[in-house]
Amino acid sequence: MADATELLERESQLSELTGSLESARSGEGRIALVYGEAGIGKTALLTQFTRLHAREARLFWGACDPLSTPRPLAPLLDIAWTQGGQLAGRIAAGASREAIFQAFFEELRLPKPSAIVVIEDLHWADEATLDLVKFLGRRAQRTSALLVLTWRDDGMRADHPLRASIGELPRQVVARIPLRGLSPAAVESLGARAHRNTEGLHAATNGNPFFVTEVLASDAPGVPPTVRDAVLARAARLPPPARELCELASVVPSRVELSLLETAAGGTFAALDELLGSGILSLDQGAVAFRHELARRAIEDTLPPLRGRELHARILAALHVRGEDPAQLARLVHHAAGAGDAVSVLRLAPSAGEHASRLGAHREAEAHFSMALRHAADLPPQRRAQLLEARAYECYLTDRMQDGIDSCSAARALWARIGDRAREGNCLCWLSRMAWYTARTEEAHRYGDLAIETLEALPPGPELAMAWVTRAGLYASANDGPKAIPSAEKALRLARTLGNREIEAHALNMLGTAHIQLGDEEGWTLIEESLRLSLEHGLQDAAGRAYANLGTLAVEEHRHQLAARVLDEGIAYATERDLRTRITCMYCWRARLRAETGRWTEAVEDAAHIVDNPGCSALFRLAALTPLGLLRTRRGDPGAREALDEALALARENGELERMVPVFAARAELLWLCGDARGAAAEASAVIEKARKTGRPWYVADLAVWIWRGGGEPPPPDECARPVALQLRGDWRAAAEEFERLGCPYQAALACYESDDPEAIRSALEVLDGLEARPGAARLRRRLSELGVRGIPRGPRAARREHPFDLTAREQEVLNALSLGLSNGEIAARLFVSPKTVDHHVSAILTKLEVPSRGAAVAKARKNHLLEPEEARAK
Amino acid sequence: MPRYLVERSFPEGLTIPIDSSGEKLCLAVIANNGEDGVTWVHSYVSDDRSKTFCVYDAPSPEAVRRTAARNSLPVDRITQVRVLDPYFYR
């Protein structure tokens, strides 16, 4: 199987070779031409091919060498050396070229078994070898041999003698098998097997299998030494002017316009044709680019430092000639930094950062501000503090809280030294917010208090308004509405006096959140208002925060339709603007929403986005681990306890009920499903009093149900949300209906556990089997046998068999979308899943329909009437 | 990487043809697994072919389920396991 993993996307080439060999075997010799760029996998393909046919064919294998003066007939010498016999004898005896060719040809003409002759790397062939190719080529048809010729076609000149030799081969016996790079999907799949992140790998390697596998096999970051050596060996063969031009081009990432290269290169530009002829670079639409980004980096990385600076300075000067267009700012910064030109970096990088931030490229903005800071040692402290604040803000938006905290602390210290109390207070606000995301709640409160103390001593300004927003946010997160509301109101009044729309939007959001927590319907209107205001004025952070809070509260309050709409919209909004912090937050809550509403497969994907990302904030890890642990619990999968243990440790540190209640409820459910009812009651009881103090019916309900099921003393039903209140009063049927109405199939089914009605339990069992909720289903089965019911269905029925090609309902939906010609991105948006999920579905569809492409899938679906309504298909 | 035992039921009996179509099926399964970093180590099949016990190396139980769905294979139960053999104490 190891071979199958290394040879991806070469099935059609293998079968073409096999087809040629079969013709040869029947007495009609064939020639296969296998070509592509260096590292494309020519040898790997032929190794696999010859191994597959080793038993039924004689193998002759020879290669040309990259010697500055090639050995005459090197491939044939290889063959003779390994074969011995008559051929070797003639060569040793110094026979004429014709006699040697004839001897080899006789060898090939022996009818059985047929022969495979591989001659590799013909781009390095000497003239005699090319003659051999012509000699064999003309006679191939009369043998039972397959002649396989390989060469590199990257940068092969139009007048290369090989071209003429190939052109003379008899066309009817030739099969051309060009090799191309791997697809992005294949690169991703190789990465998954190696457990490595493949982001950007396809782009850097153009799918070249040699580069891809070397990068995946290398532990160190950067260009693997094997790749570097291969690239440098090729560059070393260039004449000096071409080599110099190559080095100059290497300091420009991705592609360099010819006009720019010409200005920067001066005289050496004349070596362009020679450089292109080497195949290291290629020309495309008025710009040259390295054929592989990795090759560019290999050259750039090995430039001596001073030489690198000089080349960057030349590019920078050439760019300056064209003027400072904002779209070119990032390039200017790159080359200014490369040239070690601190003055230019400091002039350009901050504007580049602001430009990127406005465009919603926050990671790039952060990189520009960091770049400026690296050159900022001689700046006045005030300017440095401003840069630190700008960087901290971008870190905050992109969920890099610890980096943000570091920058912000440094800025705060500078402002304190300068004596600017307002800016210092502002930094304290940000420190408070970012500390909260790292689950350091107490620290967040300390910074928040300090901010207010600092700013209240000054005349009221936007900093103070923001400090009140921060405090309101902290109280709201702690579900302390009565304390949150006055702070939010103060912030709102001051923001309106100052005419500051952004702070007004934040304040409305906090005020709304607190009102909803207190059960006041007006709160929803307030957050909607905050969202409207933010969108109207293009306030990215405020809008993202409004989406996130609205979505979170809607999930908590079981307003599932609202939650689904807001979270989908919010994720799309934040994704477009690269607001990582918000995207992550909303993925966590959508995972929880989907866990509640029976969309478990999608829930797991949302949660896995976050859990698999070690860099995300502690708070998000906690918020994703909780639904993940809950789903493992409900499906009876391993790792449930581990996920919930880790979540518990984080929740204790955070200490807020919004996160504590779901963790404790999930842990109680796990214990109950394992048969430990008392343990479940004890687990839920641990936080029930705190939950009751918030007065939030769903917090109380989520815990109360387990206390009640575990035989503990539950709180009064009146304090619980409606379905649980009904359960506690013994009305399981009404409870189940209520859960059903809310769109919670799992909880509706589980409510029937307390029923004495075998029919109700039976249909509940069907729901749980459908969800693959094994432990819950097992509890219901036991309940049925306690009631003396016989003939209990033993397990999930094989429902999937009904589709003629075994497509799942979801796959059928994707197939329908494919028939409309939608892209994966469009399908993802339509079905509310990630493009990666769509990709999975598409590959499942291709496998099940046994077709190679999307187009073929749609054609086959049409032919088999799969795109018609289901009723029609049943007929 | 954790190892999992995956139990599957085939009420109508499992059929894997012993020819090229069976090989194709197995290769497709392996390719699907690869996308999630899941490795199928081997399986035990009950004599009546109604149950399989499949040993997998996978990053998480979710990855096992994802690949099962892609391969249209049922999942009854996933258990995380370790190797214990008679020479364990030597």
Side-chain angles (χ1 to χ4, degrees), chain A residues 20 103 124 130 138 188 196 211 233 239 252 281 345 376 460 533 536 579 583 605 614 662 713 724 755 767 841:
Chain A
S20 296
W124 284 322
L130 293 179
R138 276 199 291 272
E188 200 178 300
R196 297 284 289 265
F211 287 167
V252 184
L281 283 91
V345 171
L533 196 67
E536 191 184 310
L579 303 167
I583 299 169
E605 295 212 9
E713 191 70 45
V724 175
S755 154
V767 172
H841 288 313

Side-chain angles (χ1 to χ4, degrees), chain A residues 76-205:
Chain A
L76 198 57
L77 297 178
D78 285 351
I79 290 172
W81 193 75
T82 44
Q83 297 289 319
Q86 200 195 3
L87 182 61
R90 292 225 187 151
I91 291 174
S96 74
R97 188 185 283 183
E98 281 65 33
I100 296 172
F101 288 3
Q102 196 62 40
F104 187 42
F105 180 61
E106 293 303 328
E107 182 95 41
L108 298 184
R109 273 180 60 177
L110 297 174
K112 295 262 160 144
S114 51
I116 302 175
V117 183
V118 178
I119 303 182
E120 278 199 293
D121 294 335
L122 279 169
H123 51 285
W124 284 322
D126 64 292
E127 227 183 303
T129 301
L130 293 179
D131 286 342
L132 172 68
V133 167
K134 279 187 252 178
F135 178 91
L136 292 177
R138 276 199 291 272
R139 291 162 182 78
Q141 208 169 359
R142 289 190 279 128
T143 66
S144 58
L146 169 64
L147 179 62
V148 185
L149 307 176
T150 84
W151 69 88
R152 289 183 190 170
D153 65 346
D154 41 347
M156 194 161 75
R157 302 159 64 114
D159 55 354
H160 194 291
L162 176 61
R163 289 194 195 270
S165 311
I166 297 298
E168 286 174 29
L169 295 174
R171 208 160 280 176
Q172 66 278 15
V173 297
V174 168
R176 286 182 169 265
I177 307 179
L179 297 185
R180 311 255 176 265
L182 301 173
S183 69
V187 172
E188 200 178 300
S189 146
L190 282 174
R193 280 165 214 200
H195 309 292
R196 297 284 289 265
N197 182 6
T198 56
E199 207 182 317
L201 183 57
H202 185 266
T205 58

Side-chain angles (χ1 to χ4, degrees), chain B residues 12-77:
Chain B
E12 295 152 30
L14 172 71
T15 39
I16 292 187
I18 313 291
D19 58 16
S20 64
S21 70
E23 185 193 348
K24 232 168 96 189
L25 194 71
C26 279
L27 285 173
V29 165
I30 289 161
N32 277 335
N33 291 347
E35 286 177 34
D36 271 295
V38 171
T39 309
W40 171 26
V41 180
H42 59 240
S43 294
Y44 300 92
V45 185
S46 67
D47 276 352
D48 66 358
R49 297 183 176 243
S50 70
K51 280 211 72 134
T52 63
F53 303 84
C54 309
V55 179
Y56 277 89
D57 289 336
S60 67
E62 289 74 31
V64 171
R65 282 194 184 272
R66 258 199 303 276
T67 52
R70 269 210 295 279
N71 292 323
S72 300
L73 288 170
V75 173
D76 299 349
R77 183 193 295 257

Side-chain angles (χ1 to χ4, degrees), chain A residues 5-41:
Chain A
T5 51
E6 266 136 38
L7 258 193
L8 282 179
E9 298 184 332
R10 293 290 182 255
E11 294 82 4
S12 68
Q13 289 86 348
L14 269 177
S15 68
E16 180 130 29
L17 283 169
T18 305
S20 296
L21 180 61
E22 271 158 23
S23 308
R25 202 175 287 151
S26 65
E28 287 211 26
R30 285 277 187 272
I31 304 172
L33 308 179
V34 177
Y35 52 95
E37 61 185 32
I40 200 69

Side-chain angles (χ1 to χ4, degrees), chain A residues 466-481:
Chain A
M466 210 51 208
W468 279 329
V469 166
T470 304
R471 175 175 273 182
L474 287 171
Y475 283 132
S477 303
N479 265 284
D480 194 342

Side-chain angles (χ1 to χ4, degrees), chain A residues 398-399 580 584 607-618 620-621:
Chain A
T398 50
D399 194 19
R580 302 280 354 146
T584 311
H609 264 293
I610 291 103
V611 174
D612 293 345
N613 167 14
C616 80
S617 289
F620 297 141
R621 185 163 176 82

Side-chain angles (χ1 to χ4, degrees), chain A residues 648-661:
Chain A
L648 179 64
L650 290 167
R652 287 223 156 103
E653 203 175 331
N654 162 261
E656 293 172 348
L657 283 176
E658 181 180 324
R659 279 151 284 277
M660 302 269 265
V661 168

